[in-house]
């Protein structure tokens, strides 16, 4: 059963759907959201009562200041699309070949616009300040969040909240938990330098492919043999490039991949353990190597108190049965950059619908949402803002 929507949410719902469809048809990749930012700023202008700025070239910040004193909170939506070709055949499909809103960020943006309209209409009752952060580039490292933090959007903010649509969660459900909910995401690049030669005379070459293959399998031992089974770690080699012909032993093999973990110390240890294994194998075979490990997004860790406030607000607004605990995932999110500045919560809004066959994973060309999630998302964001603004001081 879907939660009961407030009359004011029902009144804004058609506009939210229209905004989302417009954004969906005109997706832009990370750091290129020029048209998206222009469109968002225009809608915010029409809403009225907001101070609108562009902290970076493709982001938008809207500040809603009440005349009554109170605390400052921030709500965040991300706006970027993905290099994915849309296959849904929907009437409002992407008009940009090879680019698609395949993660639902079009929905996040439209939801936050809807929340801005409703909260702006009640600004005198609210007290304090609500900052609406329309962030560029969540999908593309180094991510827009840290740029916005550097630009000062979090200065003076006491609590922050964000949401993500989730197609694997049924529409009508909202999931949140305190503690770690999304992992840190690091990247690595390995280059094996052997000695090329004729494939028929392997004894005269140092085979970068055979050595690289050993490295790929041995790296899994970092997870399965060297890490506490109760500690969470994923290590995936996702690219392996080598070779030009069937009769040539290639001199160089290159590998790229990702490491996901929740603990900082485990990330450092994993980097060291990987280096040791790569060194041992390449040295044993007379090859050389280079290894670069790049630390990426921090894990998303929800603050216990803020999560409690928001859980209570969501339960009051959407009903007891709609709010469930969130299971942590090894996916990553640069929302963590805001949580470094202020305690915050990141929660999930169900967007899937098994009965309608809407169960595709995010980042897939057939990804689609049940648009009923949009009104629910608006109501959830409004309840979150009101809950955070009115919570007792700690
Ligand atoms: Ni996403």
């Amino acid at each position: 059963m879907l939660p009961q929507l407030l009359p004011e949410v029902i009144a804004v719902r058609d506009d939210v759907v229209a905004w989302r469809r417009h954004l969906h048809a005109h997706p832009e990749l990370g750091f290129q959201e020029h048209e998206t930012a222009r469109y968002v700023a225009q809608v915010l202008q029409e809403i009225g009562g907001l101070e609108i700025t562009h902290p970076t070239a493709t982001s938008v910040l809207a500040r809603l200041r009440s005349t009554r004193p109170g605390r400052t909170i921030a709500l965040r939506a991300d706006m970027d699309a993905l290099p994915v070709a849309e296959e849904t055949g929907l009437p409002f499909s992407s008009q940009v070949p090879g680019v698609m809103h395949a993660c639902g960020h079009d929905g996040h943006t439209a939801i936050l616009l809807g929340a801005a309209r409703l909260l702006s209409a009640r600004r005198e009752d609210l007290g304090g300040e609500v900052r609406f952060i329309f962030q560029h580039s969540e999908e593309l490292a180094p991510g827009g969040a840290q740029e916005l933090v550097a630009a000062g959007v979090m200065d003076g903010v006491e609590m922050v909240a964000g949401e993500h649509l989730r197609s694997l969660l049924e529409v009508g459900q909202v999931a949140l938990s305190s503690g770690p909910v999304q992992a840190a995401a690091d990247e690595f690049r390995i280059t094996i330098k052997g000695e090329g030669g004729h494939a028929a005379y392997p004894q005269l070459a140092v085979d970068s492919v055979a050595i690289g293959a050993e490295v790929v399998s041995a790296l899994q031992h970092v997870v399965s043999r060297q890490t506490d089974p109760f500690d969470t770690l994923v290590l995936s080699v996702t690219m392996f490039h080598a070779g030009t012909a069937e009769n040539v032993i290639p001199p160089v093999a290159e590998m790229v991949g990702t490491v996901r973990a929740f603990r900082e110390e485990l990330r450092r240890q994993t980097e060291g353990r990987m280096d040791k294994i790569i060194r041992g194998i390449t040295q044993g075979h007379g090859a050389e190597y280079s290894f670069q490990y790049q630390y990426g997004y921090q894990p998303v860790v929800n603050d216990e108190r803020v999560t409690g406030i928001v859980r209570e607000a969501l339960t009051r607004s959407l009903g007891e049965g709609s709010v469930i605990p969130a299971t942590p995932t090894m996916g990553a999110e640069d929302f963590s950059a805001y949580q470094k500045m202020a305690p915050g919560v990141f929660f999930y809004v169900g967007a899937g619908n098994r009965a309608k066959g809407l169960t595709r994973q995010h980042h897939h060309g057939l990804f689609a949402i049940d648009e009923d999630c949009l009104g629910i998302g608006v109501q959830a964001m409004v309840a979150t803002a009101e809950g955070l603004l009115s919570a007792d001081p700690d």
Side-chain angles (χ1 to χ4, degrees), residues 71 159 176 303-316 345 383-392:
R71 61 166 65 99
M159 292 186 271
L176 86 168
D303 179 80
E304 201 175 330
R305 176 167 172 268
V306 175
T307 305
I309 296 167
V310 171
R311 183 185 294 115
E312 210 184 295
L314 293 176
T315 306
R316 212 179 312 123
V345 63
T384 295
E386 290 175 337
L388 293 177
L389 287 171
S390 64
D392 295 331

Side-chain angles (χ1 to χ4, degrees), residues 189-329:
R189 176 176 291 270
I190 302 164
T191 309
I192 311 280
K193 296 164 198 157
E195 177 76 32
H198 198 301
Y201 309 95
Q203 74 279 17
L204 301 177
V206 177
D207 187 349
S208 64
V209 170
I211 298 166
E214 273 189 49
V215 166
V216 172
S217 344
L219 285 177
Q220 288 313 314
H221 289 230
V222 174
V223 181
S224 69
R225 306 288 84 182
Q226 297 182 9
T227 303
D228 184 336
F230 287 97
D231 215 347
T232 313
L233 180 68
V234 170
L235 192 167
S236 296
V237 176
T238 52
M239 282 164 63
F240 189 129
H241 289 157
T244 50
E246 79 285 348
N247 58 357
V248 177
I249 291 176
V252 174
E254 277 198 296
M255 285 156 264
V256 166
T258 183
V259 170
R260 305 292 170 103
F262 288 103
R263 281 195 318 113
E264 184 68 27
E265 198 197 344
L266 181 60
R267 295 163 78 190
R268 307 265 163 213
Q269 286 171 339
T270 299
E271 180 188 7
R273 287 165 176 165
M274 289 176 72
D275 188 63
K276 239 184 193 168
I277 285 176
I278 302 162
R279 190 187 328 134
I281 291 174
T282 48
Q283 271 179 4
H285 294 297
E288 286 175 0
Y289 76 101
S290 73
F291 174 50
Q292 283 118 31
Y293 192 98
Q294 182 92 40
Y295 287 83
Y297 296 167
Q298 298 287 321
V300 174
V301 182
N302 286 339
D303 179 80
E304 201 175 330
R305 176 167 172 268
V306 175
T307 305
I309 296 167
V310 171
R311 183 185 294 115
E312 210 184 295
L314 293 176
T315 306
R316 212 179 312 123
S317 176
L318 300 172
E320 191 90 48
S322 297
V323 183
I324 61 167
T327 30
T329 78

Side-chain angles (χ1 to χ4, degrees), residues 78 103 105 138-139 164:
D78 44 10
C103 196
H105 299 188
E138 185 278 324
E139 301 282 1
H164 204 297

